[in-house]
């Protein structure tokens, strides 16, 4: 979906296909047929943006066979879909029964992360619509915090510098400008936007910026205005933002609140949980750990890294951090000119929701995704953007 910003530029809204995990090209093509096109039709749109997730296997198939790449682009066009952004964070296995810490491998100290991201940039340059010259790829925020020492940091810095050089060469070759966005996430080396400023200014390339994920921002209790102003002052670009909402518990000391939270403690994804204390931010790696004993103080609100549907917050006594999304979005695109032009709804946890909240069919899932995109569209229109055909 495209929107005209008051400054005349185009802002793109998509939804991320990592909610429909597929490890190979056949699975990607099935996603387009079984999920993405039905969402577009429910929205009554001739064109729908998708933030494509290409696992290692699918990406290598496309890189190695130009005919398959042309076929994918043709299939996108035939189904009324367009791609201006890729989600390059998960490498493979995102549809496994247990993902947890595996999603952070390989990290930026591993040469395979550089090669995979380079592949994604090349593929995106080929998949961009003919009238679009800018693409974005979101990626791992360097590494999970453990086992990442100074030597690993130097290796990661060198990899990002090499990547920036490759992106420069790619633009010279194709005329397409691809930018990479590190996505801060709780528990990672780069957990907050503040953590990103040092590494990104060290790389010193406008090709490498930050992906602001509003669930992660909220989980770490970052104030949107403070975070975005700091990025602007440091000259850190925002190639992409992900529109998502975290799980919020106002009174985690109450038994009924803990019972409600326990329904969201599931075995597939990691749900880092945070609270603010007088000594600063405290947290656990997973929601189950927070609920066990006294691992996390419960005298102040908790937030958990669980991407809940934007349009359907959990029932009381829980809620979502949708207000943080709204404030962040207003800062991102509500000013004289947008801070980013790529927005992606990323609720990948539909099938990890408590059983009674999970969609029971492809149709129900498509309805839910369409409802999220409708909410995002309405927020953009309220901010003065005009939806384009």
């Amino acid at each position: 979906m495209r929107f005209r910003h008051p400054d005349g530029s185009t802002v793109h809204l998509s939804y991320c296909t990592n909610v429909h995990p597929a490890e190979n090209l056949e699975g990607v093509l099935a996603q387009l047929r079984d999920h993405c096109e039905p969402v577009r039709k429910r929205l009554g749109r001739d064109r729908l943006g998708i933030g494509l997730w290409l696992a290692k296997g699918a990406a290598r198939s496309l890189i190695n066979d130009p005919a398959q790449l042309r076929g994918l682009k043709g299939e996108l066009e035939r189904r009324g879909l367009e791609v201006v952004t890729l989600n390059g964070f998960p490498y493979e296995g995102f549809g496994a029964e247990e993902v947890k810490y595996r999603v952070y491998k390989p990290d930026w100290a591993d040469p395979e992360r550089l090669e995979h991201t380079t592949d994604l940039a090349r593929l995106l340059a080929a998949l961009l619509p003919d009238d679009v010259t800018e693409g974005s790829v979101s990626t791992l925020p360097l590494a999970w915090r453990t086992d990442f020492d100074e030597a690993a940091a130097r290796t990661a810095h060198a990899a990002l510098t090499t990547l920036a050089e490759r992106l420069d060469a790619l633009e010279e070759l194709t005329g397409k400008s691809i930018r990479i966005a590190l996505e801060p996430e709780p528990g990672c080396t780069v957990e907050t936007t503040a953590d990103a400023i040092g590494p990104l200014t060290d790389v010193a390339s406008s090709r490498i910026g930050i992906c602001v994920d509003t669930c992660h921002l909220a989980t770490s209790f970052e104030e949107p205005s403070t975070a975005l102003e700091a990025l602007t002052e440091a000259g850190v670009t925002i190639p992409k933002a992900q529109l998502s909402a975290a799980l919020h518990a106002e009174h985690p000391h109450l038994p009924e609140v803990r019972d409600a939270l326990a329904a969201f403690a599931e075995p597939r994804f990691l749900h880092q949980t945070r609270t603010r204390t007088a000594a600063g931010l405290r947290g656990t790696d997973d929601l189950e750990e927070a609920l066990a004993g006294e691992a996390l103080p419960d005298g102040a609100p908790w937030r958990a890294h669980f991407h809940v549907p934007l349009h359907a917050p959990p029932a009381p006594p829980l809620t979502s951090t949708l207000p943080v999304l709204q404030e962040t979005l207003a800062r991102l695109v509500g000013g004289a000119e947008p801070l980013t032009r790529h927005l992606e709804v990323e609720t990948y946890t539909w099938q990890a929701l408590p059983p009674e909240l999970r969609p029971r069919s492809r149709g129900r899932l498509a309805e839910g995704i369409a409802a999220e995109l409708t909410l995002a569209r309405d927020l953009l229109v309220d901010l003065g953007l005009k939806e384009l055909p």
Side-chain angles (χ1 to χ4, degrees):
M1 299 167 74
R2 299 187 185 190
F3 297 80
R4 181 74 66 206
H5 189 273
D7 77 341
S9 64
T10 300
V11 173
H12 295 265
L13 172 66
S14 62
Y15 90 89
C16 188
T17 64
N18 62 355
V19 65
H20 321 298
E23 297 297 316
N24 53 39
L25 182 56
E26 181 181 358
V28 171
L29 295 175
Q31 289 175 347
L32 306 184
R33 179 192 67 230
D34 297 337
H35 300 288
C36 303
E37 186 177 17
V39 171
R40 177 183 64 77
K41 290 181 176 179
R42 276 173 169 76
L43 290 166
R45 305 294 302 169
D46 293 331
R47 174 173 55 191
L48 175 66
I50 58 171
L52 198 59
W53 175 60
L54 295 172
K56 168 194 171 184
R60 289 310 305 170
S61 294
L62 293 167
I63 285 289
N64 292 330
D65 190 341
Q68 288 188 356
L69 181 55
R70 290 193 297 271
L72 174 58
K73 186 167 185 177
E75 191 71 359
L76 288 166
E77 293 172 352
R78 188 170 75 82
R79 298 193 182 279
L81 306 170
E82 67 177 13
V83 175
V84 303
T85 188
L86 299 179
N87 188 329
F89 195 134
Y91 178 70
E92 61 184 349
F94 201 60
E97 290 185 4
E98 182 176 329
V99 178
K100 298 290 184 179
Y101 295 95
R102 292 171 50 192
V103 76
Y104 306 107
K105 294 293 184 178
D107 62 31
W108 276 99
D110 186 329
E112 184 53 38
R113 177 61 69 170
L114 171 61
E115 297 311 314
H116 178 60
T117 309
T118 301
D119 285 348
L120 293 179
R122 291 172 57 193
L123 293 172
L124 181 56
L127 292 173
L128 285 176
D130 293 340
D131 62 342
V132 174
T133 59
E134 294 184 359
S136 61
V137 181
S138 50
T139 188
L140 179 76
L142 299 185
W144 186 250
R145 69 182 185 278
T146 56
D147 300 323
F148 193 76
D149 55 18
E150 291 185 7
R154 288 193 297 270
T155 301
H157 178 271
L160 291 174
T161 300
T162 298
L163 178 62
E165 294 168 352
R166 292 179 179 180
L167 296 176
D168 287 340
L170 183 63
E171 183 172 11
E172 289 184 13
L173 180 66
T174 66
K176 304 290 188 177
S177 175
I178 307 300
R179 296 190 295 163
I180 306 301
L182 272 64
E183 181 185 332
E185 176 166 314
C188 290
T189 301
V190 174
E191 169 158 344
T192 66
T193 56
D195 295 335
I197 290 175
L200 291 177
T201 52
D202 286 346
V203 173
S205 172
S206 60
R207 298 282 185 193
I208 315 292
I210 190 172
C211 171
V212 175
D213 183 299
T214 56
C215 170
H216 303 173
L217 191 80
T219 300
S220 295
F221 287 89
E222 290 197 75
E223 295 295 335
S225 58
T226 303
L228 297 182
E229 286 171 10
L231 293 175
T232 300
E233 290 176 4
V236 175
T237 61
I238 308 174
K240 174 179 181 177
Q242 288 175 325
L243 307 183
S244 54
L247 193 62
H248 180 95
E250 187 68 18
H251 302 292
H253 65 286
L254 297 176
E256 60 268 29
V257 175
R258 286 179 171 258
D259 288 344
L261 283 170
F264 287 84
E266 52 82 39
R268 185 172 176 186
F269 299 112
L270 205 61
H271 301 296
Q272 303 92 314
T273 306
R274 298 288 184 268
T275 188
R276 285 185 293 194
T277 71
L281 201 65
R282 289 278 303 277
T284 60
D285 284 355
D286 214 345
L287 178 56
E288 187 174 34
E289 181 186 353
L291 292 168
E294 300 178 357
L296 196 63
D298 59 8
W302 286 4
R303 288 177 179 173
H305 172 220
F306 195 119
H307 290 223
V308 295
L310 303 186
H311 69 293
L318 304 179
T319 186
S320 82
T321 59
L322 182 61
V324 176
L325 183 159
Q326 292 171 303
E327 182 181 348
T328 306
L329 188 61
R331 299 273 179 176
L332 287 170
V333 301
E337 60 183 30
L339 299 181
T340 186
R341 294 184 177 87
H342 293 175
L343 303 171
E344 177 184 77
V345 170
E346 197 215 11
T347 305
Y348 59 84
T349 46
W350 284 93
Q351 298 304 333
L353 290 167
E356 67 276 11
L357 301 179
R358 295 174 194 169
R360 298 296 183 181
S361 65
R362 290 177 183 170
R364 294 298 298 273
L365 177 58
E367 289 173 6
I369 294 170
E372 289 192 295
L373 286 166
T374 297
L375 181 149
R377 179 197 64 194
D378 291 346
L379 291 176
L380 291 172
V381 172
D382 288 345
L383 290 171
L385 283 71
K386 179 182 179 181
E387 188 176 6
L388 298 175

